[in-house]
Amino acid sequence: MSIPPAGVITLLTDFGLGDPFVGIMKGVIVSAFPSARIIDLCHGIAPQAVAEAAFWLERSFGWFPAGSVHAAVIDPGVGSTRRILALAAGGHYFLAPDNGLLAPSLLGSPGASVREVDVERHGLRPRHATFHGRDVFAPIAARLASGSLAFTSLGDPVEPRPCVLERPSRDGERMTGSVLTIDRFGNLITNLGEELLRGIRAPHVLIGEHAVRVVRTYADGQPGELIALVNAFDVVEIAIRDGSAEKYLGFGRQTPVHLPLANHPLPA
Amino acid sequence: MSIPPAGVITLLTDFGLGDPFVGIMKGVIVSAFPSARIIDLCHGIAPQAVAEAAFWLERSFGWFPAGSVHAAVIDPGVGSTRRILALAAGGHYFLAPDNGLLAPSLLGSPGASVREVDVERHGLRPRHATFHGRDVFAPIAARLASGSLAFTSLGDPVEPRPCVLERPSRDGERMTGSVLTIDRFGNLITNLGEELLRGIRAPHVLIGEHAVRVVRTYADGQPGELIALVNAFDVVEIAIRDGSAEKYLGFGRQTPVHLPLANHPLPA
Amino acid sequence: MSIPPAGVITLLTDFGLGDPFVGIMKGVIVSAFPSARIIDLCHGIAPQAVAEAAFWLERSFGWFPAGSVHAAVIDPGVGSTRRILALAAGGHYFLAPDNGLLAPSLLGSPGASVREVDVERHGLRPRHATFHGRDVFAPIAARLASGSLAFTSLGDPVEPRPCVLERPSRDGERMTGSVLTIDRFGNLITNLGEELLRGIRAPHVLIGEHAVRVVRTYADGQPGELIALVNAFDVVEIAIRDGSAEKYLGFGRQTPVHLPLANHPLPA
């Protein structure tokens, strides 16, 4: 549990970059910890899309140095009585509202520990009710990352709310998942993990009226062909070679995606 | 007036992040000052929206370490004879075009000092007339932040142009302000300061045909209810719980917002 | 050829900032090279727009310190057999897919050297076929910038594919170029270099039905007037004083732009 802090802080928010909110959080961090290494994980999470943030946090943190502090501020309940959690897991630290943002893979990892950040104890009772990213998350992240505050001093152990990230479910002869997020290229990223494909000879997925074959890489598709592949985050992604599957299909987040489990070929 | 530089440079522009303009400014800065700590305050100011930049700069700089250099490049007059100003105020340094971007609260603070950056003297006469962010602001910010150039050496004291930031005005029994900016959540941020609400028992604001009650935090609204609150920047903001007030109202920047000063309840 | 690395890495991609792709690349870089100085050159290149990236890379790199590593990941062929190139030229290092992204001015500069990055040799055979930015470009950039891997050890010398950047061509009494990119202000940036204007007394350019006079700076235009000027990147740009030429004209990237070479006045 005593992971030495790496001095690295990542920020994941739904603030966008059109306003100075993220910049101000960084000002607070460097005021408290001048040599902090701050990295924007992403600020383009759809407003208040906790599940999307949960997915990206789980799939991203492992690419940062052990001992990093990952502050995730997607916080529709800011100003309410919702708690702020700190998690030590997998050699990393996480700060997040208690709104289901923390993935089961993190919470359930060996030795994982969750504490409620005791805002009063740390002198951080915010005067304002709308910007805890600046008033709570940034100063706590700075102290944790600099080593001036130990994880165990943050507050008492608590049980977090269950994660909002939906998992695929079995539905007769197929698994049913959904589109979790869509990237800038119009690729539809689903919650169907690569492990679901194992043992299926000619896997394909169904989205709307479309049966889409699973290939290895974008280059395996014909120009304009709708394809599916296991992407770099180990989940199935639906794409079009040299185009936007989002535009072509007209589907958005939460669209159901089915994976037939039987070893049969693609329907005609 | 002799604030030791903190080695921190913030950048506030209307360049957006779709082009390499901001990246190139950073290249110039690190070429001159390799250990500069550069923080993006914001690059999403609406193109040439000097008032919006003036608001954010005034409300943001205090969250950075004393001795920071804040370079604000919202500069419709680039290439004309408009001057470039340097300001030392409130323990911070500011660089901005002389176009009304510097707020009265800064210019009028005790000991504040304004100088015109003498571009010729510092060998920075730009070959090009379109990108002074790269050719003037970046090198001056680097020298000031590194301590290689003293504020008093930048140029002669001058009187800046008045700030373009509008202040609310009294209008009979009410104060009239306006929407200054809109954040990514569709919250309308006004220039009505929290001090205007003091002593009013059940404050509300009027925008278009809507009378909107002032609450403490987003969570005090009903889902879908239009609410107003004092935000983390000490001004009134109009929001919708779990929604976008911008989309709901269809109003943009500069929409008038009224604050009745009498102690009467919300109209039915 | 032995340029000492400066510890600076710039990133140029078409990933946008709406997803954590860029953040994850930075995580990989700081994991391998904790004191790396990472600067976002730009992530807003239009998806798969190799020519736009080629233009910006060529026009931007010189503003960074000598010995910088510039990683450009606009890579429609990711996962195919396309090679990854490393280039040492002009005192800088470049990493890019072999898809025509590297400009002739770089490839042809004195002492320039191109090598194929030998992914196998460096233990970087990606498990996934879709995110070489994370799995190849980031670790190679980190090793090159930290000095732990010498340029000459990257792989064998190769001949790159020709650059996709189109050059203006002579067409009777005029040069014909095109719009390469459009900035946030709606300025149309062309591939007509300033050298083409030399010796022309009253230069103007033709776009669609419009004859546009070349002025020195934005401030030389009347409000609302369509103007052309040599911008800070030494190419002709078409603009409107206090407005968006893109919106006014309705033209996009690749629109032809003509420059009459004769010394005659602007047509009426």
Side-chain angles (χ1 to χ4, degrees), chain A residues 137-153:
Chain A
F137 286 91
I140 291 288
R143 295 181 203 179
L144 196 52
S146 69
S148 75
L149 183 63
F151 175 76
T152 50
S153 304

Side-chain angles (χ1 to χ4, degrees), chain B residues 231-249:
Chain B
N231 72 10
F233 299 95
D234 293 325
V235 291
V236 171
E237 167 180 313
I238 298 169
I240 281 190
R241 169 88 185 271
D242 301 332
S244 163
E246 180 186 24
K247 278 193 195 145
Y248 178 78
L249 291 170

Side-chain angles (χ1 to χ4, degrees), chain A residues 37 39, chain B residues 26, chain C residues 7-11 22 25-30 33 35-41:
Chain A
R37 171 106 221 189
I39 298 179
Chain B
K26 293 177 183 174
Chain C
V8 173
I9 297 170
T10 80
L11 302 177
V22 171
M25 284 182 68
K26 293 177 183 174
V28 171
I29 291 170
V30 302
F33 178 24
S35 65
R37 172 105 219 187
I38 307 171
I39 298 179
D40 296 303
L41 181 49

Side-chain angles (χ1 to χ4, degrees), chain C residues 166-171 174-181 189-193 196 205-208 235-236 238 252-261:
Chain C
E166 284 181 23
R167 294 183 59 76
S169 59
R170 182 136 188 178
D171 166 21
R174 61 192 200 177
M175 294 297 290
T176 294
S178 61
V179 175
L180 274 182
T181 183
I189 298 174
T190 78
N191 60 352
L192 294 164
L196 298 174
V205 296
L206 307 167
I207 182 166
V235 291
V236 171
I238 298 170
R253 286 167 173 81
Q254 301 186 316
T255 301
V257 182
H258 309 284
L259 170 68
L261 296 174

Side-chain angles (χ1 to χ4, degrees), chain A residues 6-33:
Chain A
V8 172
I9 296 170
T10 80
L11 302 177
L12 176 68
T13 77
D14 60 354
F15 296 166
L17 293 170
D19 313 294
F21 303 148
V22 170
I24 291 170
M25 284 183 68
K26 293 177 183 173
V28 171
I29 291 170
V30 302
S31 294
F33 178 25

Side-chain angles (χ1 to χ4, degrees), chain B residues 16-221:
Chain B
L17 293 170
D19 313 294
F21 303 147
V22 171
I24 290 169
M25 284 183 68
K26 293 177 183 174
V28 171
I29 291 170
V30 302
S31 294
F33 178 25
S35 66
R37 172 105 219 187
I38 308 170
I39 298 179
D40 296 304
L41 182 48
C42 180
H43 302 290
I45 300 296
Q48 313 194 341
V50 177
E52 191 179 0
F55 171 77
W56 280 126
L57 184 62
E58 177 194 28
R59 304 279 163 160
S60 302
F61 82 93
W63 298 99
F64 290 84
S68 293
V69 174
H70 306 280
V73 193
I74 293 85
D75 193 8
V78 63
S80 71
T81 57
R82 68 91 187 83
R83 303 178 295 188
I84 293 178
L85 302 180
L87 164 68
H92 290 248
Y93 297 105
F94 302 85
L95 297 170
D98 185 19
N99 60 11
L101 201 156
L102 298 170
S105 63
L106 296 171
L107 295 170
S109 69
S113 165
V114 185
R115 290 173 182 265
E116 178 182 354
V117 175
D118 187 335
V119 174
E120 301 268 356
R121 186 196 301 177
H122 301 296
L124 294 172
R125 188 181 169 75
R127 190 161 61 94
H128 294 94
T130 63
F131 193 6
H132 288 187
R134 178 190 73 190
D135 297 336
V136 180
F137 286 91
I140 290 289
R143 295 181 203 178
L144 195 51
S146 69
S148 75
L149 183 63
F151 175 75
T152 50
S153 305
L154 285 172
D156 296 330
V158 288
E159 192 63 31
R161 288 179 52 178
C163 185
V164 294
L165 202 51
E166 284 181 22
R167 294 183 59 74
S169 60
R170 181 136 189 178
D171 165 21
E173 282 304 292
R174 61 190 201 178
M175 294 298 291
T176 294
S178 61
V179 175
L180 274 182
T181 182
I182 302 175
D183 71 18
R184 190 186 187 220
F185 302 92
N187 299 318
L188 310 181
I189 298 174
T190 78
N191 60 352
L192 293 164
E194 65 166 344
E195 69 283 359
L196 298 173
L197 299 177
R198 284 179 204 149
I200 305 181
R201 209 158 5 182
H204 62 277
V205 296
L206 306 167
I207 182 166
E209 300 298 305
H210 301 268
V212 185
R213 70 186 178 108
V214 178
V215 298
R216 199 188 64 84
T217 179
Y218 303 128
D220 293 336

Side-chain angles (χ1 to χ4, degrees), chain B residues 14-16 18-21 23-24 27-28 30-31 34 36 38 43-45 48 78-80 127-131 134, chain C residues 17 37 39-45 56 60 63-65 182-185 194 216-219 229 231-234 242:
Chain B
D14 59 353
F15 296 166
D19 313 294
F21 303 147
I24 290 169
V28 171
V30 302
S31 294
I38 308 170
H43 302 290
I45 300 296
Q48 313 194 341
V78 63
S80 71
R127 190 161 61 94
H128 294 94
T130 63
F131 193 6
R134 178 190 73 190
Chain C
L17 293 170
R37 172 105 219 187
I39 298 179
D40 296 303
L41 181 49
C42 181
H43 302 290
I45 299 296
W56 280 127
S60 303
W63 299 99
F64 290 84
I182 304 176
D183 71 18
R184 192 187 186 219
F185 302 92
E194 65 166 345
R216 199 188 64 84
T217 179
Y218 302 128
L229 45 73
N231 72 8
F233 300 94
D234 293 325
D242 301 332

